[in-house]
Amino acid sequence: MPAVECGRGHLYDNNIYTTCPYCNNSTQAINFGGVAVDRDNKTRPISDVYNQPNNFVNPMADPYQSEVSVLNEGKTLPPKDYAKPKKVEDDNKTVGLMKEKLGIDPVVGWLVCIEGKEVGKDYKIRGQINTIGRSEKMDICIKNDNTISNENHARLSYSERNNKFNLIPAESKNVIYLNDNEIFTPTVLNAYDVIDFGETKLMFIPFCSEKFDWKSTKQVM
Amino acid sequence: MFLFKRNSKTKKVTDSGRTRRIKNIEGELSYQVGNLQKIGARSSQEDSFALINALDVNDIRQNGLFAIVADGMGGMKDGKLVSETAVAGFVQAFRSLNRDMDISRQLVDSVSQVNSLLNDKFDGEGGTTVVLAMIYKGMAYWVSVGDSSIYLKRNGGLFKLNRDHTYRNKLYLEELYKVEINKNEVESNKDGVRLSEFLGNSRVDEIDNNIKPLKLKKNDVIMLCSDGISGFMDEDTISDVLSLPPEIACEQLGKLIDGRSHKNQDNLTAVVISCMN
């Protein structure tokens, strides 16, 4: 049968090629002047390729080719002001006042889903305003609950100055309950308060409290 | 070309290579596919692609057909590895989709997942574009981030379905709010080709996708490609070439690009899917 798939989603004619010509591409590229770098088609560990220096230019390569590769001409570039993000945690969403002061954007508390589709999941709360919604753009993203607005369902603030958390209803179409009382204005949150968004219930767990806040640690750091 | 039958009731296999034509249940579309990848004038290949389930009519019926092209960014680190990782990530996401739920949304969600995977793995130093399409029950769902392209050829017209995430497009958008639109200024901006969005970033804000699935019709042709094709070929030529059967169209595209031998020819990758009954 002439049409084959190599197992990695590449189709080729096995009357012409013995192995997938597309899987080999990355290595076949370094194949000038009859100096073939042969690699079998197996899945290999990342480090194998990864260790190669970024600006690796095969000395055997055609000078014209290497000239092209050194120039940045035509290469796809990121935005001009793009800088590798400095990360604190696995998700660096909020860049706030605390980050500016401390150089890090520390966690100040958590929400834990105790009822709903994402039950068991935790969401980090950081300094200043945290947006809550279904969209990935939100600081706190609760994905699978359609009763939650896509963006800015509510906000959760942490004031570093007063060491206080507030829940602020925003563009939600549904009533938000805090410990079974409906709320329409910013309301102070206390440890183990339950925020009820309809299908999803979240329990609030502060990290910053009377016992600890980042302001006082700053001196130590 | 020769023609032979494999399983006379369900499958008809034509020829030489990358394509097979598969007979179908009444009213159901079947798909012919082709793929193309060339290195151009670059020293390495940084594009990656995959076509999943393309050779099995039952797989297509049950799980859908999936096509993806990712263009690793030469201006950042590890272009090939990043695009390859992205493709692997999306293929996995495709396989684990819940097909009874909103497919569009799941595909868009997978963008964020793959993005954070890349961002973690390459530490924000590697980037790739992605354009992917899933065809399930005669409907097409597509997603794009960056400046790769998805084209639809229908009734003789060629339509580009996505918008490139480039700085140039951002500048144009800004111009629209001005009293006088200065095209030359936008076109001559040397940062215009820079991407305004890509995968591997700390977060993805711009995602292009179709919210309503695209109902495919007989003779529709879909092409996903990297800018090695869309940036080096005018749309008339692309449209002409896409009239050919996919595997021949791919061959032809490759020949045309080779013939021009542009000295900055970027890596080029295309996946072509045509719909038939």
Side-chain angles (χ1 to χ4, degrees):
Chain A
M1 193 175 67
V4 290
E5 202 244 62
C6 68
R8 295 176 70 187
H10 309 142
L11 308 186
Y12 66 98
D13 186 342
N14 61 349
N15 285 334
I16 302 175
Y17 304 100
T18 48
T19 57
C20 174
Y22 304 115
C23 284
N24 278 334
N25 254 341
S26 54
T27 49
Q28 265 183 359
I30 314 163
N31 187 6
F32 307 105
V35 186
V37 181
D38 224 13
R39 270 242 174 90
D40 59 2
N41 206 0
K42 284 178 192 159
T43 316
R44 50 183 184 271
I46 289 154
S47 57
D48 194 4
V49 185
Y50 201 68
N51 286 338
Q52 214 174 64
N54 186 38
N55 54 356
F56 176 71
V57 178
N58 186 353
M60 303 302 283
D62 174 6
Y64 173 73
Q65 294 284 359
S66 58
E67 190 184 307
V68 173
S69 76
V70 172
L71 286 172
N72 232 353
E73 219 156 297
K75 283 195 175 174
T76 320
L77 295 164
K80 205 175 179 186
D81 53 0
Y82 178 77
K84 176 190 156 189
K86 289 191 180 67
K87 288 200 270 182
V88 187
E89 290 277 352
D90 49 334
D91 52 348
N92 59 335
K93 282 182 173 171
T94 326
V95 179
L97 211 58
M98 292 183 79
K99 183 165 183 182
E100 212 169 284
K101 281 190 200 159
L102 298 168
I104 52 167
D105 194 15
V107 165
V108 297
W110 298 272
L111 290 176
V112 180
C113 182
I114 52 167
E115 212 178 293
K117 294 213 174 98
E118 300 208 317
V119 65
K121 194 177 167 184
D122 69 318
Y123 311 88
K124 290 179 191 121
I125 304 168
R126 297 188 194 280
Q128 303 304 320
I129 304 283
N130 297 263
T131 51
I132 305 174
R134 260 192 296 127
S135 156
E136 275 287 329
K137 289 182 189 171
M138 297 292 99
D139 299 311
I140 294 169
C141 160
I142 302 160
K143 267 190 201 154
N144 297 317
D145 185 346
N146 282 332
T147 61
I148 293 177
S149 304
N150 203 33
E151 293 192 2
N152 296 322
H153 186 80
R155 298 193 180 90
L156 206 161
S157 72
Y158 168 70
S159 152
E160 193 194 4
R161 204 180 295 170
N162 301 331
N163 204 10
K164 254 188 199 163
F165 293 86
N166 267 282
L167 180 66
I168 311 158
E171 286 152 34
S172 164
K173 292 220 171 99
N174 297 313
V175 177
I176 296 170
Y177 294 87
L178 184 65
N179 301 327
D180 293 331
N181 303 314
E182 64 258 49
I183 57 158
F184 302 100
T185 50
T187 310
V188 173
L189 286 171
N190 298 307
Y192 298 100
D193 276 355
V194 174
I195 303 166
D196 186 345
F197 283 143
E199 278 183 20
T200 302
K201 280 188 185 166
L202 303 165
M203 189 173 277
F204 166 69
I205 310 289
F207 177 57
C208 291
S209 59
E210 294 99 50
K211 290 187 181 164
F212 177 87
D213 67 76
W214 289 102
K215 222 174 4 184
S216 23
T217 349
K218 194 189 162 193
Q219 321 299 331
V220 185
M221 284 157 57
Chain B
M1 278 208 226
F2 51 94
L3 191 135
F4 61 93
K5 285 185 179 178
R6 234 179 119 227
N7 178 338
S8 60
K9 273 194 183 149
T10 55
K11 290 178 185 175
K12 193 164 151 195
V13 183
T14 55
D15 133 302
S16 79
R18 290 122 286 178
T19 3
R20 276 198 284 166
R21 185 173 172 176
I22 297 153
K23 229 181 158 183
N24 57 332
I25 303 174
E26 206 182 333
E28 192 183 345
L29 288 172
S30 68
Y31 307 97
Q32 242 184 330
V33 296
N35 55 216
L36 161 77
Q37 182 166 67
K38 279 177 178 282
I39 193 164
R42 296 292 162 85
S43 56
S44 60
Q45 177 61 267
E46 296 184 319
D47 289 358
S48 297
F49 73 97
L51 251 169
I52 305 298
N53 293 346
L55 296 185
D56 193 324
V57 67
N58 289 321
D59 271 349
I60 292 181
R61 196 170 293 139
Q62 276 169 21
N63 300 316
L65 174 63
F66 185 73
I68 177 168
V69 171
D71 176 356
M73 290 164 72
M76 296 177 82
K77 279 188 181 173
D78 297 311
K80 178 64 183 178
L81 199 58
V82 180
S83 65
E84 230 171 49
T85 312
V87 166
F90 282 111
V91 168
Q92 202 185 355
F94 161 74
R95 293 197 197 280
S96 55
L97 273 187
N98 181 342
R99 283 157 180 80
D100 300 326
M101 278 169 60
D102 186 343
I103 291 177
S104 248
R105 213 174 90 197
Q106 291 179 77
L107 288 175
V108 171
D109 284 348
S110 69
V111 171
S112 327
Q113 286 159 20
V114 172
N115 181 62
S116 39
L117 173 90
L118 295 176
N119 191 247
D120 283 352
K121 198 163 173 180
F122 300 100
D123 211 13
E125 292 180 340
T128 182
T129 74
V130 72
V131 55
L132 63 85
M134 171 170 172
I135 296 174
Y136 183 60
K137 298 198 168 160
M139 298 289 192
Y141 307 81
W142 59 266
V143 178
S144 161
V145 176
D147 67 348
S148 296
S149 304
I150 173 163
Y151 289 100
L152 169 70
K153 182 169 174 155
R154 175 174 284 180
N155 298 336
L158 185 73
F159 307 91
K160 178 159 168 163
L161 301 180
N162 65 323
R163 192 176 59 137
D164 290 349
H165 298 136
T166 57
Y167 185 56
R168 175 167 298 137
N169 276 345
K170 274 202 161 165
L171 289 176
Y172 269 124
L173 209 60
E174 282 167 22
E175 287 292 319
L176 289 180
Y177 293 98
K178 294 181 186 167
V179 182
E180 210 174 297
I181 294 174
N182 191 340
K183 190 183 171 193
N184 288 344
E185 206 169 278
V186 174
E187 288 291 330
S188 64
N189 191 314
K190 65 178 183 349
D191 289 319
V193 293
R194 283 177 180 267
L195 296 185
S196 57
E197 192 59 274
F198 58 91
L199 296 184
N201 211 338
S202 53
R203 73 182 212 198
V204 187
D205 289 330
E206 296 177 76
I207 299 175
D208 256 36
N209 70 303
N210 58 337
I211 298 161
K212 248 176 87 179
L214 174 73
K215 192 171 190 328
L216 292 173
K217 296 178 179 173
K218 188 188 162 192
N219 296 333
D220 278 355
V221 182
I222 288 177
M223 175 167 88
L224 314 182
C225 66
S226 61
D227 63 341
I229 288 179
S230 49
F232 289 80
M233 255 187 179
D234 57 278
E235 298 193 337
D236 286 343
T237 317
I238 294 178
S239 180
D240 286 349
V241 173
L242 290 184
S243 320
L244 302 164
E247 87 277 27
I248 300 173
C250 283
E251 247 176 69
Q252 195 61 30
L253 275 174
K255 279 184 193 159
L256 281 172
I257 297 256
D258 280 352
R260 291 177 186 190
S261 55
H262 194 289
K263 76 171 167 49
N264 279 326
Q265 177 61 51
D266 198 354
N267 298 156
L268 52 127
T269 303
V271 174
V272 180
I273 302 169
S274 80
C275 310
M276 21 236 312
N277 327 36

